[in-house]
Structure formats: C-alpha cells, structure tokens
Amino acid sequence: MADMQRVIYFTQRPHGMVTRDAFEIREESMPRLSGDKDVLVETVYASVDPYMRGRLSSGKSYTAPFEVGKPMTGAMVGRVVDGGRTALQSGEWVFGSWSWSEYAVLPETALRRLDPSLPPTTALHVLGLTGLTAYVGLTKFGRPQAAERLVVSAAAGSVGSLAVQIGRLLGLTVYGIAGGEDKCRWIEHQLGAEKAFNYQAPDFADALARGLDSGVDIYFDNVGGTVTDEVMRHLNPHARIVICGQIALYNQAQPTQSRPLFSDLLVSRAEATGFIVGEHQEEFPKALKRLQSWYRLGQLKVEESIVVGFDQWIDAFLGLFSGANRGKAIVQVKDA
Amino acid sequence: MADMQRVIYFTQRPHGMVTRDAFEIREESMPRLSGDKDVLVETVYASVDPYMRGRLSSGKSYTAPFEVGKPMTGAMVGRVVDGGRTALQSGEWVFGSWSWSEYAVLPETALRRLDPSLPPTTALHVLGLTGLTAYVGLTKFGRPQAAERLVVSAAAGSVGSLAVQIGRLLGLTVYGIAGGEDKCRWIEHQLGAEKAFNYQAPDFADALARGLDSGVDIYFDNVGGTVTDEVMRHLNPHARIVICGQIALYNQAQPTQSRPLFSDLLVSRAEATGFIVGEHQEEFPKALKRLQSWYRLGQLKVEESIVVGFDQWIDAFLGLFSGANRGKAIVQVKDA
C-alpha cells in the first residue's frame, strides 16, 4: 500500500454557481490505526448529493456548513483494508460517512457491515438515505390516500425516480417533471408514471395545466423555482406539498422571486412541509424493510450514474447542478 | 313598517383594488313571510370581513365567488320583527347569514338565538367565526408548546387581535405586526404582546430581525406579502405557519413576487398550512366554551370598530383594505 493518498478539500465558499475553484485535491500521508476500535477502509463508491451544495454556503441551512479548509465528507461504501482488533475482516463491505479520500480510519461503530446478498451501491440509494428520503417523505408528509394524484419534480433524479415508483406501488397516479424529452420518456416507460412533463419545453405551463386538469393531491418537490410555481396553480383541496429539496435555488447568488405560494396554500387549504430524513429515524426500520422487499422483487428500478476514478469526483458533484444526471450519481473511486 | 327596503347588490367584479363601483344600492319591496317556518328579521349589526374580497373575484378561492347581479351576503346579528308560527318572538336577538339588506326573511333553522347575557355583537367576533378562526387556527395548526414564540401579522385586526391574546393566555410569548405606531402601542399595552413591529417603519426588517433574535415557533399569518417575506427569515426549526389570510394580496391585479418561502420551510423543516375555519366545525363546541369563559372573565379584550348607518356599509367594507381599522369592523344598520 502507498504511503500517500489523495483527499479533496473544501477551500473556498462559492457565491452563486459552485465551480472547481471551491475544491482542492491534496496529497497526504496514509491514515494509520491508532486505537483498538479503529478500522482502515478504502473508499470504493462515494455518493455525491445535491444537499451538499447547501453545506458549502455559510447561510442558515438544515445541516452545519462545511468548514473551509477541511476535507469534504459524505456517504461512502468501502472495503475493509485492516480491521485491526475489531470484528470486521479485510475485504468486507461497509457503509459509513467519511472524508472524500481514498482511505479513511474510522471507529468500528461508525461503520455498518453490508448485507452481502445485495449490491453494495444500494446502500447509497434505494436502501440508503435516498430511498428513505423518498419513502418517508411520501408516506409521512404526503399521507397518500388510495387513487390520489402525485406530482414529483426532478423525477429523473435519485430521490425523484424512487418517489415516482413508490407512489405507483402505493396505488397513486403519478406525474413526473424533468428536464428534457429523453428523461420524460424514461420516467413514463421505465418508472411507470402516467405522464412526464419537460420543464424545458416552451409550452411547459400549458402542458402541465392540461395534464393536471384533475388537480394535484400530493406534490413531492425536489426543485422549487419556476417548476414549483406552476405546479402550485393546480392544487386540489387539502393537498400536501412535501418539500424535499429546492435544487433550482441552491446555486443562485440572488434567489429568483416566486409566485405567492402561501395564497395557493390558503385557497386550497393545503399544507407544505419541509423535512430532512435524518430527523425521522424512527421510520427507518419499517421503511427499509419495505424498500428491500420491493427491490428484491424487482419492483423498484434503480438507475445509477457511475463515474469512474478519483479524478472525476469533483466533476460528478458539479454535474448534479447541470441537470445531466439520471438516477443516482456515484463516484467509483477504486476498482470494485 | 315601510313597504320598501334597501339592499346592496354586487354589480361588477373588481380588477385590483375594490371600489364603490363594484356595488349598487337598490330599493326593493319588503320581503314577506311565505311559509310556516319563516321569520322576518331586521338587520341590526352586519359583519364586514376581508375574506369577502376573495368572493368578489372569479378566480380559484376557498369559497364560491359572489354572483354578479346578486345581493352581497354576510354574517349578521338582527332582531326578530315577526316570528310567524315559529318559536322565535318579536324582539329576540338572532345570528345568521343573509343579504346586505335592512330586512330579511329566513327559515327559523337558519337563525341562532343569542344568549341574552352576552352583548349581541360578540356573535360577530369573539364568540363567532372571528374568535373561532383565531382559536382553531392557533391551537389546531399552530400546535403551541409551552413558552414558544408566536408572531401574529395584522395583529390589530379582528382575528389578529384575538390571536395575540389567545396566544398570551396559552402561555406563549407573542409578537405582533401592524401598520402604524399607534396600533403597535395598543397591541403591546392593551393586548399584552411582548413587542409589536410597525411594518410601515423604514427600519421594519431590521427591527424585526433584532426583536425576533430568538426566532419564531409559530407564525399566524393574516397578510402575506412583504411582511411574511420578512418573518419567514426568522423561523426556528420545526416552526408552524398558520395561513389564515393574505390580505396584502387580495386587491392586487398582479400579485407581487415573493421570496422563495419553500426554501425557508425546508431549511427550518417547517410546516405551512392554509385553513378556513368552516371546515373544522368539530372544534367549535370546545373552542366556544373556552372563548366564552375567557371573555366572561374579562381576559379577552375586544375592540369594535362600529360605523353607524346603512349608507356607511360599503365604505366600511372598503376600509378593511386601507389598514385604518382596529379590531372588528361592524356596521350598525339600525338602532340597537
């Protein structure tokens, strides 16, 4: 094993659109086991997620901002290189949260051994926080009733594509919104949405109004901005809006103004709730059981957008905001 | 009794600020009892309310729009002129909803006899829909916890002034927002708010930021617009926003744009709910019992802004949108 490894540092807060200038790759010495409970892992798969953009800013957010001058951190799937005196064996797959680095030393308690009967990357999406976010958001805050109409924005994204499918499995009629005709056809044909609307199309607002002429009972919102402005015109009475993300706004130096959405809520006696899944851990066991069961039965399609190589890590993160991805963005840092 | 009476008709939908042009006073023949269950009442006190502005427009709203060419209708307190064959006696005070007219004929079942031990106008505010709106909104959707911080907009208005006081009686620390220093001092000294902020002051946003430096747990919103934009910057985690009215927007031909409020909800994992009290009648008995008990003990101050004379009716309604009123606006149509 090498003496040195690469680590990605956060070096400068972005103002507006985040660029490579926010990051720096540094070489540093390999971390070493220092206590009885320590484990050395190599990073095989790294998750890059839109919420991380919020942590790059110093403003009020739901997670603490990343510290300038410290390594980036995130959810990872790795392999044990040296289990030390712990119960973990070399070669075992583990899940955890650590630095954007090739290797990391963590206490055994910070690692979760993965079920070898499942593909390891599922811990980063359908059977991880992504799947939990879609399931808990939709069930706890959407409170779906049989045969209701669900609209999902960023429906080709990691959380959105699962929200579409979970909605369908729960018996809802599901509409997706995404950027581009290809994504829309994929959402209809592969994810089973009733219809998908391309927000880049010039007639988006009209197409949405026609398609949603029976109204919206649940809106699972990942994007905010003008897409949300349009969806909010079509609420049914007592609709529920699940605010999961507002990716359209994350990179704006000056947020765009919005229609008066509280008027929509009043007129429709509707409810909008922002949530982060980490605050609802009591829901996790039941949610994971259900997600696993659906996944094993082949009822949840998962699209992975995997880029290979440590060098691609920063670009994979930046790509989240260009709308190019479909499904879950993952960096494969080492050979699996 | 005269053969003719005056009735106020709605004759033209306003676009933007409502004016007298929307209405017409007509003389018509007195209504007569026509069935065994009919009662003739004279209108003594009439309620004028901001929600009526919504009914003047044809757009999506939570109540059916008023029909052009029909009389205006609203909540009234009247006296029985002729009880016919019903149990109601001449001279008894009754509450109901009828046309903006001097007299009306209604079935007995559409009238509620008032408790003679209470002032009759209380049926139009503290012990009527106004009080119920404040109580149900605050308790059911605000879900107050001991010692939380409540902000009320339009805090000198009919619903707002009760929401401030109910909040205080429930043990909350209450902040009010209103237009003008006089109203603000009244909210502090008479209603018992911790502090009131004048949204017309040039340093409103800064004063609010300083005053709300411990954040907002419940925001009872009657106004929307720029006031709400500012309050929403100061949410505590898991705050609840009770959307009761959006009076700042009712008379706008083109609604002003807003800050991205869904981002605020996401960042604070907060919840915003629009409601109309008429959909929560199961809460009424308990709420009325509590409101009556507070009122009889002198713990709820009620300010009435009474104008006298049928001729003042339309202006009293229009005055709701100029911000001139304090407390509940009532038209005294006949001598009490």
Side-chain angles (χ1 to χ4, degrees), chain B residues 42-89:
Chain B
E42 64 175 350
T43 310
V44 182
Y45 297 106
S47 183
V48 289
D49 299 281
Y51 81 84
M52 294 169 171
R53 175 64 186 85
R55 300 192 64 187
L56 298 180
S57 296
S58 56
K60 193 176 173 185
S61 185
Y62 49 75
T63 45
F66 285 121
E67 252 181 272
V68 173
K70 293 280 159 67
M72 291 288 292
T73 59
M76 309 284 173
V77 161
R79 247 177 339 221
V80 174
V81 175
D82 184 349
R85 302 181 178 202
T86 74
L88 287 167
Q89 305 295 317

Side-chain angles (χ1 to χ4, degrees), chain A residues 60-62 232-233 235 238 243 246 249 255 257-258 260 262-263 265-267 269-275 279, chain B residues 60-62 232-233 235 238 243 246 249 255 257-258 260 262-263 265-267 269-274 279:
Chain A
K60 194 175 171 184
S61 185
Y62 50 75
M232 290 290 288
R233 295 181 191 274
L235 298 184
H238 308 290
I243 308 174
Q246 298 276 284
L249 311 176
Q257 300 273 294
S258 151
F262 279 17
S263 281
L265 295 180
L266 178 58
V267 163
R269 296 89 72 208
E271 170 194 310
T273 312
F275 83 104
E279 293 183 338
Chain B
K60 193 176 173 185
S61 185
Y62 49 75
M232 290 290 288
R233 295 181 191 274
L235 298 183
H238 308 291
I243 308 175
Q246 298 278 282
L249 311 175
Q257 300 273 294
S258 153
F262 279 17
S263 281
L265 295 180
L266 178 58
V267 163
R269 294 89 73 207
E271 170 194 309
T273 312
E279 292 184 339

Side-chain angles (χ1 to χ4, degrees), chain A residues 87-104:
Chain A
L88 286 166
Q89 304 295 317
S90 294
E92 282 197 289
W93 286 99
V94 288
F95 169 85
S97 173
W98 61 78
S99 295
W100 287 19
S101 55
E102 294 177 281
Y103 296 89

Side-chain angles (χ1 to χ4, degrees), chain A residues 136-200:
Chain A
V136 173
L138 190 53
T139 56
K140 182 162 186 177
F141 298 101
R143 301 193 304 275
Q145 305 288 312
E148 283 193 323
R149 281 155 202 282
L150 165 68
V151 173
V152 179
S153 62
S158 55
V159 172
S161 60
L162 289 169
V164 166
Q165 297 177 86
I166 294 168
R168 198 176 38 72
L169 289 166
L170 296 175
L172 306 177
T173 302
V174 187
Y175 300 86
I177 299 175
E181 293 301 327
D182 282 358
K183 282 186 186 170
C184 287
R185 295 302 77 77
W186 179 71
I187 292 163
E188 290 171 355
H189 301 144
Q190 298 299 313
L191 306 185
E194 181 78 8
K195 188 161 175 54
F197 304 93
N198 174 9
Y199 72 80
Q200 296 166 343

Side-chain angles (χ1 to χ4, degrees), chain B residues 295-306:
Chain B
Y295 179 75
R296 289 194 194 270
L297 291 167
Q299 296 183 306
L300 281 177
K301 287 201 175 56
V302 177
E303 179 110 339
E304 297 178 334
S305 181
I306 299 189

